[in-house]
Amino acid sequence: VALMCSVLAVLILIFFGVVAVAGAVPLRLFLQTAAPALSIAFTSLSSMAALPVLMRSVDERLAFPRTTTALLLPFTASLLRLSAPVSH
């Protein structure tokens, strides 16, 4: 369990680093937008449970087209699950 938590923490930090360096959104705004969904995802251990909150937060805080977020957010939530390879 400790190893899995450590691996996930490192992966999250790497993703935040990529957002800070290559993202079109400032890191602070990204963190403010993702914070509600991250808190639900960590407490429920479900990216699907956090998806509606993330979509609402992105719609309210970021200026991305709705068609883009409606496609990409569910796609990434279902395909890019970080815990799947670590937990099996």
Side-chain angles (χ1 to χ4, degrees):
V1 174
L3 177 63
M4 184 170 85
C5 289
S6 299
V7 168
L8 291 175
V10 168
L11 287 174
I12 288 170
L13 290 175
I14 290 170
F15 284 144
F16 285 162
V18 169
V19 167
V21 172
V25 177
L27 183 61
R28 183 178 182 144
L29 179 59
F30 174 78
L31 293 175
Q32 289 173 343
T33 303
L38 286 174
S39 65
I40 290 174
F42 283 128
T43 56
S44 68
L45 299 177
S46 172
S47 57
M48 290 300 148
L51 186 59
V53 175
L54 180 61
M55 291 182 77
R56 185 176 338 112
S57 185
V58 167
D59 284 341
E60 292 172 359
R61 295 177 186 253
L62 302 178
F64 294 142
R66 176 77 173 133
T67 54
T68 302
T69 59
L71 173 69
L72 292 180
L73 292 177
F75 177 74
T76 56
S78 63
L79 291 181
L80 302 176
R81 294 180 48 198
L82 293 177
S83 62
V86 177
S87 64
H88 294 290

Coordinates of all heavy atoms in Angstrom, one line a residue:
V1 N 0.8 -1.2 0.0 CA 0.0 0.0 0.0 C 0.9 1.3 0.0 O 0.6 2.2 -0.7 CB -1.0 0.0 1.2 CG1 -1.7 1.3 1.3 CG2 -1.9 -1.2 1.1
A2 N 1.9 1.3 0.8 CA 2.8 2.4 0.9 C 3.5 2.6 -0.5 O 3.7 3.8 -0.9 CB 3.8 2.3 2.0
L3 N 3.9 1.5 -1.1 CA 4.6 1.7 -2.4 C 3.6 2.2 -3.4 O 4.0 3.1 -4.2 CB 5.1 0.3 -2.8 CG 5.7 0.2 -4.2 CD1 7.0 1.1 -4.2 CD2 6.1 -1.2 -4.6
M4 N 2.4 1.7 -3.4 CA 1.4 2.2 -4.4 C 1.2 3.7 -4.2 O 1.1 4.5 -5.1 CB 0.1 1.5 -4.3 CG -0.9 1.9 -5.3 SD -2.3 0.8 -5.4 CE -3.3 1.5 -4.1
C5 N 1.0 4.2 -2.9 CA 0.8 5.6 -2.6 C 2.0 6.4 -3.1 O 1.8 7.5 -3.6 CB 0.5 5.8 -1.2 SG -1.1 5.2 -0.6
S6 N 3.2 5.9 -2.9 CA 4.4 6.6 -3.3 C 4.5 6.8 -4.8 O 4.8 7.8 -5.3 CB 5.6 5.9 -2.8 OG 5.6 5.8 -1.4
V7 N 4.2 5.7 -5.5 CA 4.2 5.7 -7.0 C 3.2 6.7 -7.5 O 3.5 7.5 -8.4 CB 4.0 4.3 -7.5 CG1 3.8 4.4 -9.0 CG2 5.2 3.4 -7.2
L8 N 2.0 6.7 -6.9 CA 0.9 7.6 -7.4 C 1.3 9.1 -7.1 O 1.1 10.0 -7.9 CB -0.4 7.2 -6.7 CG -1.0 5.9 -7.2 CD1 -2.3 5.6 -6.5 CD2 -1.3 6.0 -8.7
A9 N 1.9 9.3 -5.9 CA 2.3 10.7 -5.6 C 3.4 11.2 -6.5 O 3.3 12.3 -7.0 CB 2.8 10.7 -4.1
V10 N 4.3 10.3 -6.9 CA 5.4 10.7 -7.8 C 4.7 11.0 -9.2 O 5.1 12.0 -9.9 CB 6.5 9.7 -7.9 CG1 7.4 9.9 -9.1 CG2 7.2 9.6 -6.6
L11 N 3.8 10.2 -9.6 CA 3.2 10.4 -10.9 C 2.4 11.7 -10.9 O 2.4 12.4 -11.9 CB 2.3 9.2 -11.3 CG 3.0 8.0 -11.7 CD1 2.0 6.8 -11.9 CD2 3.8 8.2 -13.0
I12 N 1.7 12.0 -9.9 CA 0.9 13.2 -9.8 C 1.9 14.4 -9.8 O 1.6 15.4 -10.5 CB 0.1 13.3 -8.5 CG1 -1.1 12.3 -8.6 CG2 -0.5 14.7 -8.2 CD1 -1.9 12.0 -7.4
L13 N 3.0 14.4 -9.1 CA 3.9 15.5 -9.2 C 4.5 15.7 -10.6 O 4.7 16.8 -11.0 CB 5.0 15.3 -8.2 CG 4.6 15.4 -6.7 CD1 5.8 15.1 -5.8 CD2 4.1 16.8 -6.4
I14 N 4.7 14.6 -11.3 CA 5.2 14.6 -12.7 C 4.2 15.3 -13.6 O 4.5 16.2 -14.3 CB 5.6 13.2 -13.2 CG1 6.9 12.7 -12.5 CG2 5.8 13.3 -14.7 CD1 7.2 11.3 -12.8
F15 N 2.9 14.9 -13.4 CA 1.9 15.5 -14.2 C 1.7 17.0 -13.9 O 1.6 17.8 -14.8 CB 0.5 14.8 -14.0 CG 0.4 13.5 -14.7 CD1 -0.2 12.4 -14.1 CD2 1.0 13.3 -16.0 CE1 -0.3 11.2 -14.8 CE2 0.9 12.1 -16.6 CZ 0.2 11.0 -16.0
F16 N 1.8 17.4 -12.7 CA 1.8 18.8 -12.3 C 2.9 19.6 -12.9 O 2.8 20.7 -13.3 CB 1.7 19.0 -10.8 CG 0.3 18.7 -10.2 CD1 0.2 18.5 -8.9 CD2 -0.8 18.6 -11.0 CE1 -1.1 18.2 -8.3 CE2 -2.1 18.3 -10.5 CZ -2.2 18.1 -9.1
G17 N 4.1 18.9 -12.9 CA 5.3 19.5 -13.5 C 5.1 19.7 -15.0 O 5.5 20.8 -15.6
V18 N 4.5 18.8 -15.7 CA 4.2 18.9 -17.1 C 3.3 20.0 -17.4 O 3.4 20.8 -18.3 CB 3.7 17.6 -17.7 CG1 3.2 17.7 -19.1 CG2 4.8 16.5 -17.7
V19 N 2.2 20.1 -16.5 CA 1.3 21.2 -16.7 C 1.9 22.6 -16.5 O 1.7 23.5 -17.2 CB 0.1 21.0 -15.7 CG1 -0.7 22.3 -15.6 CG2 -0.8 19.8 -16.1
A20 N 2.8 22.6 -15.5 CA 3.5 23.9 -15.2 C 4.4 24.3 -16.4 O 4.5 25.5 -16.7 CB 4.3 23.8 -13.9
V21 N 5.1 23.4 -17.0 CA 6.0 23.7 -18.1 C 5.4 23.8 -19.4 O 5.6 24.8 -20.2 CB 7.1 22.6 -18.1 CG1 8.0 22.8 -19.3 CG2 7.9 22.6 -16.8
A22 N 4.5 22.9 -19.8 CA 4.0 22.9 -21.1 C 2.5 23.3 -21.3 O 2.0 23.4 -22.4 CB 4.1 21.5 -21.7
G23 N 1.8 23.5 -20.1 CA 0.4 23.8 -20.2 C 0.1 25.2 -20.6 O 0.8 26.1 -20.5
A24 N -1.1 25.3 -21.2 CA -1.6 26.6 -21.7 C -2.3 27.3 -20.5 O -2.6 28.5 -20.6 CB -2.6 26.4 -22.8
V25 N -2.5 26.6 -19.4 CA -3.2 27.2 -18.3 C -2.2 27.4 -17.2 O -1.4 26.5 -16.9 CB -4.3 26.2 -17.8 CG1 -5.0 26.8 -16.5 CG2 -5.3 26.0 -18.9
P26 N -2.1 28.5 -16.5 CA -1.2 28.7 -15.4 C -1.4 27.6 -14.3 O -2.6 27.2 -14.1 CB -1.5 30.1 -14.8 CG -2.2 30.8 -15.9 CD -2.9 29.7 -16.7
L27 N -0.4 27.2 -13.6 CA -0.4 26.1 -12.7 C -1.4 26.4 -11.6 O -2.2 25.5 -11.1 CB 1.0 25.8 -12.1 CG 1.0 24.6 -11.1 CD1 0.6 23.3 -11.8 CD2 2.4 24.5 -10.6
R28 N -1.4 27.6 -11.1 CA -2.3 28.0 -10.0 C -3.8 27.8 -10.4 O -4.6 27.3 -9.6 CB -2.0 29.4 -9.5 CG -2.9 29.8 -8.3 CD -2.5 31.2 -7.9 NE -3.3 31.6 -6.7 CZ -2.9 32.3 -5.7 NH1 -1.7 32.7 -5.7 NH2 -3.7 32.6 -4.7
L29 N -4.1 28.3 -11.6 CA -5.5 28.2 -12.1 C -5.8 26.7 -12.3 O -7.0 26.3 -12.0 CB -5.7 29.0 -13.4 CG -7.1 28.9 -14.0 CD1 -8.1 29.4 -13.0 CD2 -7.1 29.7 -15.3
F30 N -4.9 25.9 -12.8 CA -5.1 24.5 -13.0 C -5.4 23.8 -11.7 O -6.4 23.0 -11.5 CB -3.9 23.9 -13.6 CG -4.0 22.4 -13.7 CD1 -4.7 21.8 -14.7 CD2 -3.3 21.6 -12.8 CE1 -4.8 20.4 -14.8 CE2 -3.4 20.2 -12.9 CZ -4.1 19.6 -13.9
L31 N -4.6 24.1 -10.6 CA -4.8 23.5 -9.3 C -6.2 23.9 -8.7 O -6.9 23.1 -8.1 CB -3.7 23.8 -8.4 CG -2.3 23.2 -8.8 CD1 -1.2 23.7 -7.8 CD2 -2.4 21.7 -8.7
Q32 N -6.5 25.2 -8.9 CA -7.8 25.7 -8.3 C -9.0 25.0 -9.1 O -10.0 24.7 -8.5 CB -8.0 27.2 -8.5 CG -7.1 28.0 -7.6 CD -7.1 29.4 -7.9 OE1 -7.5 29.9 -9.0 NE2 -6.7 30.2 -6.9
T33 N -8.8 24.7 -10.3 CA -9.9 24.1 -11.1 C -9.9 22.6 -10.8 O -11.0 22.0 -10.7 CB -9.6 24.2 -12.6 OG1 -9.5 25.6 -12.9 CG2 -10.7 23.6 -13.5
A34 N -8.8 22.0 -10.6 CA -8.8 20.5 -10.4 C -9.0 20.1 -8.9 O -9.4 19.0 -8.6 CB -7.5 19.9 -10.8
A35 N -8.9 21.1 -8.0 CA -8.9 20.7 -6.5 C -10.2 20.1 -6.1 O -10.2 19.0 -5.4 CB -8.7 22.0 -5.7
P36 N -11.4 20.6 -6.5 CA -12.6 19.9 -6.1 C -12.7 18.4 -6.6 O -13.1 17.5 -5.8 CB -13.8 20.7 -6.7 CG -13.2 22.0 -6.9 CD -11.7 21.8 -7.2
A37 N -12.3 18.2 -7.8 CA -12.4 16.9 -8.4 C -11.3 16.0 -7.8 O -11.6 14.8 -7.5 CB -12.2 16.9 -9.9
L38 N -10.1 16.5 -7.5 CA -9.1 15.7 -6.9 C -9.5 15.3 -5.5 O -9.2 14.2 -5.1 CB -7.8 16.5 -6.8 CG -7.0 16.7 -8.1 CD1 -5.8 17.6 -7.9 CD2 -6.6 15.3 -8.6
S39 N -10.2 16.2 -4.7 CA -10.6 15.8 -3.4 C -11.6 14.6 -3.4 O -11.6 13.7 -2.6 CB -11.1 17.0 -2.6 OG -12.3 17.5 -3.2
I40 N -12.5 14.7 -4.4 CA -13.5 13.6 -4.5 C -12.8 12.3 -5.0 O -13.1 11.2 -4.5 CB -14.6 14.0 -5.5 CG1 -15.5 15.1 -4.8 CG2 -15.5 12.8 -5.9 CD1 -16.5 15.7 -5.7
A41 N -11.9 12.5 -5.9 CA -11.2 11.3 -6.5 C -10.4 10.6 -5.4 O -10.4 9.4 -5.3 CB -10.3 11.7 -7.6
F42 N -9.7 11.4 -4.6 CA -8.9 10.7 -3.5 C -9.7 10.1 -2.4 O -9.4 9.1 -1.9 CB -7.9 11.7 -2.9 CG -6.7 12.0 -3.8 CD1 -6.4 13.3 -4.1 CD2 -6.0 11.0 -4.3 CE1 -5.3 13.6 -4.9 CE2 -4.9 11.3 -5.1 CZ -4.5 12.6 -5.4
T43 N -10.8 10.8 -2.0 CA -11.6 10.2 -0.9 C -12.5 9.1 -1.4 O -12.8 8.2 -0.6 CB -12.5 11.3 -0.3 OG1 -13.3 11.9 -1.3 CG2 -11.7 12.4 0.3
S44 N -13.0 9.1 -2.6 CA -13.8 8.0 -3.1 C -13.0 6.9 -3.9 O -13.6 5.8 -4.1 CB -14.9 8.5 -4.0 OG -14.4 9.0 -5.2
L45 N -11.8 7.2 -4.2 CA -10.9 6.3 -5.0 C -11.6 6.0 -6.4 O -11.4 4.9 -6.9 CB -10.6 5.0 -4.3 CG -9.9 5.2 -2.9 CD1 -9.7 3.8 -2.3 CD2 -8.6 5.8 -3.2
S46 N -12.3 7.0 -6.9 CA -13.0 6.8 -8.2 C -12.9 8.0 -9.0 O -13.4 9.1 -8.7 CB -14.5 6.5 -7.9 OG -15.2 6.5 -9.1
S47 N -12.2 7.8 -10.2 CA -12.1 8.9 -11.1 C -13.5 9.2 -11.8 O -13.8 10.4 -12.2 CB -11.1 8.7 -12.2 OG -11.4 7.5 -12.9
M48 N -14.3 8.2 -11.9 CA -15.6 8.4 -12.5 C -16.5 9.2 -11.6 O -17.4 10.0 -12.0 CB -16.3 7.1 -12.8 CG -15.6 6.3 -14.0 SD -15.7 7.3 -15.5 CE -14.3 6.8 -16.3
A49 N -16.4 9.1 -10.3 CA -17.2 9.8 -9.3 C -16.8 11.3 -9.4 O -17.6 12.2 -9.1 CB -17.0 9.3 -7.9
A50 N -15.5 11.6 -9.7 CA -15.0 13.0 -9.7 C -15.3 13.6 -11.1 O -15.2 14.9 -11.2 CB -13.5 13.0 -9.4
L51 N -15.7 12.9 -12.1 CA -15.8 13.4 -13.4 C -16.9 14.5 -13.5 O -16.6 15.6 -14.1 CB -16.1 12.3 -14.4 CG -16.2 12.7 -15.9 CD1 -14.9 13.3 -16.3 CD2 -16.5 11.5 -16.7
P52 N -18.1 14.4 -13.0 CA -19.0 15.5 -13.1 C -18.5 16.8 -12.4 O -18.7 17.9 -12.9 CB -20.3 15.0 -12.4 CG -20.1 13.5 -12.4 CD -18.7 13.2 -12.4
V53 N -17.9 16.7 -11.3 CA -17.3 17.8 -10.6 C -16.2 18.5 -11.4 O -16.2 19.7 -11.5 CB -16.8 17.4 -9.2 CG1 -16.1 18.6 -8.5 CG2 -17.9 16.9 -8.3
L54 N -15.4 17.7 -12.0 CA -14.3 18.2 -12.9 C -14.9 18.9 -14.1 O -14.4 20.0 -14.4 CB -13.4 17.1 -13.3 CG -12.2 17.5 -14.2 CD1 -11.3 18.5 -13.5 CD2 -11.4 16.3 -14.6
M55 N -15.9 18.3 -14.7 CA -16.5 19.0 -15.9 C -17.1 20.3 -15.5 O -17.0 21.3 -16.2 CB -17.5 18.0 -16.6 CG -16.8 16.8 -17.2 SD -17.9 15.7 -18.0 CE -18.2 16.6 -19.5
R56 N -17.8 20.4 -14.4 CA -18.4 21.6 -14.0 C -17.4 22.7 -13.6 O -17.5 23.8 -14.0 CB -19.3 21.4 -12.7 CG -20.1 22.6 -12.3 CD -21.0 22.4 -11.2 NE -21.5 21.1 -11.0 CZ -21.2 20.3 -9.9 NH1 -20.4 20.8 -9.0 NH2 -21.7 19.1 -9.8
S57 N -16.3 22.2 -13.0 CA -15.2 23.1 -12.6 C -14.5 23.7 -13.8 O -14.2 24.9 -13.9 CB -14.3 22.4 -11.6 OG -13.3 23.3 -11.2
V58 N -14.3 22.8 -14.8 CA -13.6 23.3 -16.0 C -14.5 24.3 -16.8 O -14.1 25.3 -17.3 CB -13.2 22.1 -16.9 CG1 -12.8 22.5 -18.3 CG2 -12.1 21.3 -16.3
D59 N -15.8 24.0 -16.8 CA -16.7 24.9 -17.5 C -16.8 26.2 -16.8 O -16.9 27.3 -17.5 CB -18.2 24.3 -17.5 CG -18.3 23.2 -18.5 OD1 -17.5 23.1 -19.5 OD2 -19.3 22.4 -18.4
E60 N -16.7 26.3 -15.5 CA -16.8 27.5 -14.8 C -15.5 28.4 -14.8 O -15.6 29.6 -14.8 CB -17.2 27.3 -13.3 CG -18.7 26.7 -13.2 CD -19.0 26.3 -11.8 OE1 -18.1 26.4 -10.9 OE2 -20.1 25.9 -11.5
R61 N -14.4 27.7 -14.7 CA -13.1 28.4 -14.5 C -12.3 28.6 -15.8 O -11.5 29.5 -15.9 CB -12.3 27.7 -13.4 CG -12.9 27.8 -12.1 CD -12.1 27.0 -11.1 NE -12.7 26.9 -9.8 CZ -12.3 27.6 -8.8 NH1 -11.3 28.4 -8.8 NH2 -13.0 27.4 -7.6
L62 N -12.4 27.7 -16.7 CA -11.5 27.7 -17.9 C -12.3 28.0 -19.1 O -13.5 27.8 -19.2 CB -10.8 26.4 -18.1 CG -9.9 25.9 -16.9 CD1 -9.3 24.6 -17.2 CD2 -8.8 26.9 -16.6
A63 N -11.7 28.5 -20.1 CA -12.4 28.9 -21.4 C -12.2 27.9 -22.5 O -12.1 28.2 -23.6 CB -11.8 30.3 -21.8
F64 N -12.3 26.6 -22.1 CA -12.2 25.6 -23.1 C -13.6 25.4 -23.7 O -14.6 25.4 -23.0 CB -11.7 24.3 -22.5 CG -10.2 24.3 -22.1 CD1 -9.9 23.7 -20.9 CD2 -9.3 25.0 -22.7 CE1 -8.6 23.7 -20.5 CE2 -8.0 25.1 -22.3 CZ -7.6 24.4 -21.2
P65 N -13.6 25.0 -25.0 CA -14.9 24.7 -25.6 C -15.6 23.5 -25.0 O -14.9 22.5 -24.6 CB -14.6 24.4 -27.1 CG -13.2 25.0 -27.3 CD -12.5 25.0 -26.0
R66 N -16.9 23.6 -24.8 CA -17.6 22.5 -24.1 C -17.5 21.2 -24.9 O -17.4 20.1 -24.3 CB -19.1 22.9 -24.0 CG -20.0 21.9 -23.5 CD -19.9 21.8 -22.0 NE -20.9 20.9 -21.4 CZ -20.6 19.9 -20.6 NH1 -19.4 19.8 -20.1 NH2 -21.5 19.1 -20.2
T67 N -17.4 21.2 -26.2 CA -17.3 20.0 -27.0 C -16.0 19.3 -26.7 O -15.9 18.1 -26.7 CB -17.4 20.3 -28.5 OG1 -16.5 21.3 -28.9 CG2 -18.8 20.7 -28.8
T68 N -14.9 20.1 -26.5 CA -13.6 19.5 -26.2 C -13.6 18.9 -24.8 O -13.1 17.7 -24.7 CB -12.5 20.7 -26.2 OG1 -12.6 21.3 -27.5 CG2 -11.2 20.1 -26.0
T69 N -14.1 19.6 -23.8 CA -14.1 19.0 -22.5 C -15.1 17.8 -22.4 O -14.8 16.8 -21.7 CB -14.5 20.0 -21.4 OG1 -15.8 20.5 -21.7 CG2 -13.5 21.1 -21.4
A70 N -16.2 17.8 -23.1 CA -17.1 16.7 -23.1 C -16.5 15.4 -23.7 O -16.9 14.3 -23.4 CB -18.4 17.1 -23.8
L71 N -15.6 15.6 -24.6 CA -14.9 14.4 -25.2 C -13.7 14.0 -24.4 O -13.5 12.8 -24.1 CB -14.5 14.8 -26.6 CG -13.6 13.7 -27.3 CD1 -14.5 12.5 -27.6 CD2 -13.0 14.2 -28.6
L72 N -12.8 15.0 -24.1 CA -11.5 14.6 -23.5 C -11.5 14.2 -22.1 O -10.8 13.3 -21.6 CB -10.5 15.8 -23.7 CG -10.1 16.0 -25.2 CD1 -9.1 17.2 -25.2 CD2 -9.5 14.8 -25.8
L73 N -12.4 14.9 -21.3 CA -12.4 14.5 -19.8 C -12.9 13.1 -19.6 O -12.2 12.4 -18.8 CB -13.2 15.6 -19.0 CG -12.5 17.0 -19.0 CD1 -13.4 17.9 -18.2 CD2 -11.2 16.9 -18.4
P74 N -14.0 12.7 -20.1 CA -14.4 11.3 -19.9 C -13.4 10.3 -20.5 O -13.1 9.2 -19.9 CB -15.7 11.1 -20.6 CG -16.3 12.5 -20.7 CD -15.1 13.4 -20.8
F75 N -12.8 10.6 -21.7 CA -11.8 9.8 -22.3 C -10.6 9.6 -21.4 O -10.2 8.4 -21.2 CB -11.4 10.4 -23.6 CG -10.3 9.7 -24.4 CD1 -10.6 8.5 -25.0 CD2 -9.0 10.1 -24.4 CE1 -9.7 7.8 -25.7 CE2 -8.1 9.4 -25.1 CZ -8.4 8.3 -25.8
T76 N -10.1 10.6 -20.9 CA -8.9 10.5 -20.0 C -9.2 9.9 -18.7 O -8.4 9.1 -18.1 CB -8.2 11.9 -19.8 OG1 -9.2 12.8 -19.2 CG2 -7.6 12.4 -21.1
A77 N -10.4 10.1 -18.2 CA -10.8 9.5 -16.9 C -10.9 8.0 -17.0 O -10.6 7.2 -16.1 CB -12.1 10.1 -16.4
S78 N -11.4 7.5 -18.2 CA -11.5 6.1 -18.3 C -10.3 5.4 -18.8 O -10.0 4.2 -18.4 CB -12.7 5.8 -19.3 OG -12.4 6.3 -20.6
L79 N -9.5 6.0 -19.7 CA -8.3 5.3 -20.2 C -7.0 5.5 -19.5 O -6.1 4.7 -19.5 CB -8.1 5.8 -21.7 CG -9.2 5.3 -22.7 CD1 -8.9 5.7 -24.1 CD2 -9.3 3.8 -22.6
L80 N -6.8 6.7 -18.9 CA -5.6 7.0 -18.2 C -5.6 6.8 -16.7 O -5.2 7.7 -16.0 CB -5.1 8.4 -18.6 CG -5.0 8.6 -20.1 CD1 -4.6 10.1 -20.4 CD2 -3.9 7.7 -20.7
R81 N -6.2 5.7 -16.3 CA -6.3 5.5 -14.8 C -4.9 5.1 -14.3 O -4.4 4.1 -14.6 CB -7.3 4.4 -14.6 CG -8.7 4.9 -15.0 CD -9.7 3.8 -14.8 NE -9.6 3.2 -13.4 CZ -10.1 2.1 -13.1 NH1 -10.8 1.4 -13.9 NH2 -10.0 1.6 -11.9
L82 N -4.4 5.9 -13.4 CA -3.0 5.7 -12.8 C -3.0 4.5 -11.9 O -2.0 3.8 -11.8 CB -2.6 6.9 -12.1 CG -2.3 8.2 -12.9 CD1 -1.9 9.3 -12.0 CD2 -1.2 7.9 -13.9
S83 N -4.0 4.2 -11.2 CA -4.0 3.2 -10.2 C -4.2 1.8 -10.8 O -3.9 0.8 -10.1 CB -5.0 3.4 -9.1 OG -6.3 3.4 -9.7
A84 N -4.7 1.7 -12.0 CA -5.0 0.3 -12.6 C -3.8 -0.5 -12.7 O -3.8 -1.7 -12.2 CB -5.7 0.5 -13.9
P85 N -2.6 -0.1 -13.3 CA -1.5 -0.9 -13.4 C -0.8 -1.2 -12.0 O -0.2 -2.2 -11.8 CB -0.5 -0.2 -14.3 CG -1.2 1.1 -14.7 CD -2.5 1.2 -14.0
V86 N -0.9 -0.2 -11.1 CA -0.2 -0.4 -9.8 C -1.0 -1.3 -8.9 O -0.4 -2.1 -8.2 CB -0.1 1.0 -9.2 CG1 0.6 0.9 -7.8 CG2 0.7 1.9 -10.1
S87 N -2.3 -1.3 -9.0 CA -3.1 -2.1 -8.1 C -3.2 -3.6 -8.4 O -3.7 -4.4 -7.7 CB -4.5 -1.5 -7.9 OG -5.2 -1.6 -9.1
H88 N -2.8 -4.0 -9.7 CA -3.0 -5.4 -10.1 C -1.7 -6.1 -10.0 O -0.7 -5.8 -10.1 CB -3.5 -5.5 -11.5 CG -4.9 -4.9 -11.6 ND1 -6.0 -5.6 -11.0 CD2 -5.4 -3.8 -12.1 CE1 -7.1 -4.9 -11.3 NE2 -6.8 -3.8 -11.9

